[in-house]
Amino acid sequence: MSTQPVSTPVVKTTPPRSLHRALKQFLLDNMVTLFFAVICALGLWAAGLPLSFVVSDLILRISRNGVLILALLIPVMAGMGLNFAITLGAMAGQLAILMVVHWEIGGVAGVALAAVLATPMAVLFGILVGKLLNKTRGQEMITSMITGMFASGLYMLLLMVIVGTVIPVKNPEIMLGTGIGVKDTVDLAILSRAVDDLWSVPLPTMGLAAAALMLLYYGGKLLAKQTSDPEQAGRAVIKLGLIAAVAIAAVSGWIMTTDSLFNMVTVPVATFALVALVAIFNLFIITTKLGQDFRAVGQDQHIAKVSGINVDRTRIIAMTISTVLAAWGQLLMLQNLGNLRTYGAHEAVGMFAIAALLIGGASVSRATVGQALIGMVLFHTMFLVSPQAGKALLGDAQLGEFFRAFVAYGVIAASLAMHAWKRTMATRKRLLS
């Protein structure tokens, strides 16, 4: 038997961070989101719009654009940055909806058929863009942006020249009087709000339903922790969730007993259900083998390749999923708007969706569903109140419009600059260590 003394393992402990340092780090990590939260609060105060109107319009805008913003998450996870090429997915959706209008198939059936038609086009576009980005590794964002512009030119050539000459279309509802080229604006009356009006409920009713779901979810988690986990970790979050659920139920019930204008606000449940499904899909895919491959490729392509992951194929799949989701998101937006700006509807899609995601706290290397949801609320709140706030403060609503455009482009430029700065600092720190 050995007589050597047993050595006591040394446990390294890290000193707890002070509250000051934790607060400083929180502000640094979330400075973009906090800045725009303050801007939105000031805009709401200056605009003086009724809160019921703001909430109603916000619900409409989020249901309209939610899927387009969530379509950006997977390419970020796979290390491909912000996908400016979701405009190609939007174009696939627009081409599909033009076919459906030409065949005069309206309602939910028309939207569903458009989704079916748009999917193979979006898959093809996604594969082509993915292959191109694999050839321009390290320059994915600028390549996807230029690709989107190039594809937009081809799209215009198709609809302005080829349709009516090579492709015979004689529908006066969508064709120009000369018989060559599609109209600049196409009426989508047969598809207008086909999904939105499928199932809508008043906001207080939706509040009660949401509160019930939250009670079931957090109540179940609390019971599970009490029976299987003696630790206290996570209980505070669960209790906060339960308190929030009770508060939502109380406020919703109180509104239902009054003549508040909030009773007139409706929630398109079917559309929000589709947005929620896409959000759940993004969360679910992280738990799969494919999702782990996305993350591995996004962290280090060389190590992922050594580990046996087909890096090129994984990146193409990420781009394809993003493009397909963008096509479906564009269909949801168009059925909500009720008309199609044939040559311009897709152009701002990528820019506004990316700006919304970045305002939520995402970066070119990390984006979550939570950041996308926060970004939707802040970005659309700012878009809603800016003209009225500009008119109230400066006497000209047009200044508010300029501010909205400035923010959309400015936040993207600022985020890219911050990402480059952080990467430089990390490299310098690694070299000095």
Side-chain angles (χ1 to χ4, degrees), residues 98-398:
L98 282 174
M99 296 180 200
V100 170
V101 172
H102 172 58
W103 294 327
E104 299 180 351
I105 303 173
V108 177
V111 177
L113 178 59
V116 171
L117 294 171
T119 300
M121 287 190 281
V123 169
L124 176 62
F125 295 162
I127 292 173
L128 293 176
V129 174
K131 285 180 176 289
L132 178 62
L133 297 188
N134 282 339
K135 300 292 184 185
T136 58
R137 219 175 291 268
Q139 306 293 328
E140 285 90 347
M141 286 193 291
I142 186 65
T143 303
S144 64
M145 182 183 292
I146 298 301
T147 303
M149 294 178 181
F150 174 70
S152 181
L154 293 179
Y155 169 86
M156 291 184 184
L157 177 67
L158 170 67
L159 295 185
M160 295 179 74
V161 178
I162 297 178
V163 174
T165 54
V166 179
I167 303 174
V169 178
K170 300 187 181 301
N171 189 334
E173 295 296 324
I174 63 174
M175 297 297 292
L176 292 170
T178 59
I180 299 175
V182 178
K183 288 180 178 176
D184 183 58
T185 302
V186 175
D187 187 7
L188 304 179
I190 61 173
L191 300 169
S192 180
R193 297 187 62 84
V195 179
D196 291 346
D197 291 342
L198 197 61
W199 184 22
S200 298
V201 299
L203 181 61
T205 305
M206 190 67 193
L208 289 176
L213 290 175
M214 289 174 68
L215 285 172
L216 286 174
Y217 176 74
Y218 286 112
K221 289 192 73 172
L222 183 62
L223 290 175
K225 277 201 171 290
Q226 285 176 344
T227 55
S228 63
D229 187 0
E231 300 294 333
Q232 294 296 319
R235 294 224 179 138
V237 176
I238 294 173
K239 289 178 180 177
L240 283 175
L242 289 171
I243 293 171
V246 173
I248 291 172
V251 172
S252 300
W254 174 75
I255 290 174
M256 293 176 79
T257 62
T258 67
D259 295 330
S260 170
L261 292 176
F262 281 105
N263 287 305
M264 306 295 290
V265 178
T266 58
V267 180
V269 179
T271 311
F272 267 100
L274 293 175
V275 176
L277 281 177
V278 175
I280 292 170
F281 170 76
N282 276 284
L283 294 172
F284 169 74
I285 203 167
I286 297 174
T287 65
T288 64
K289 169 68 169 58
L290 181 60
Q292 295 303 316
D293 289 351
F294 287 151
R295 299 182 71 169
V297 170
Q299 290 171 0
D300 193 310
Q301 293 184 40
H302 177 68
I303 293 176
K305 188 174 183 180
V306 171
S307 303
I309 297 173
N310 188 331
V311 174
D312 286 355
R313 177 175 171 274
T314 303
R315 285 161 56 93
I316 290 173
I317 292 174
M319 192 55 62
T320 303
I321 293 174
S322 176
T323 310
V324 171
L325 291 179
W328 294 347
Q330 186 72 351
L331 291 176
L332 280 182
M333 185 173 78
L334 292 176
Q335 64 85 32
N336 176 272
L337 293 174
N339 64 75
L340 168 64
R341 288 193 304 115
T342 309
Y343 304 105
H346 59 280
E347 289 182 345
V349 163
M351 201 66 68
F352 288 162
I354 287 170
L357 186 63
L358 294 175
I359 286 175
S363 68
V364 296
S365 59
R366 183 176 182 275
T368 65
V369 171
Q371 290 168 335
L373 296 176
I374 294 172
M376 287 181 211
V377 174
L378 292 179
F379 187 74
H380 290 297
T381 301
M382 188 191 67
F383 250 60
L384 176 62
V385 302
S386 290
Q388 196 65 27
K391 183 178 181 180
L393 294 174
L394 304 168
D396 187 353
Q398 192 63 33

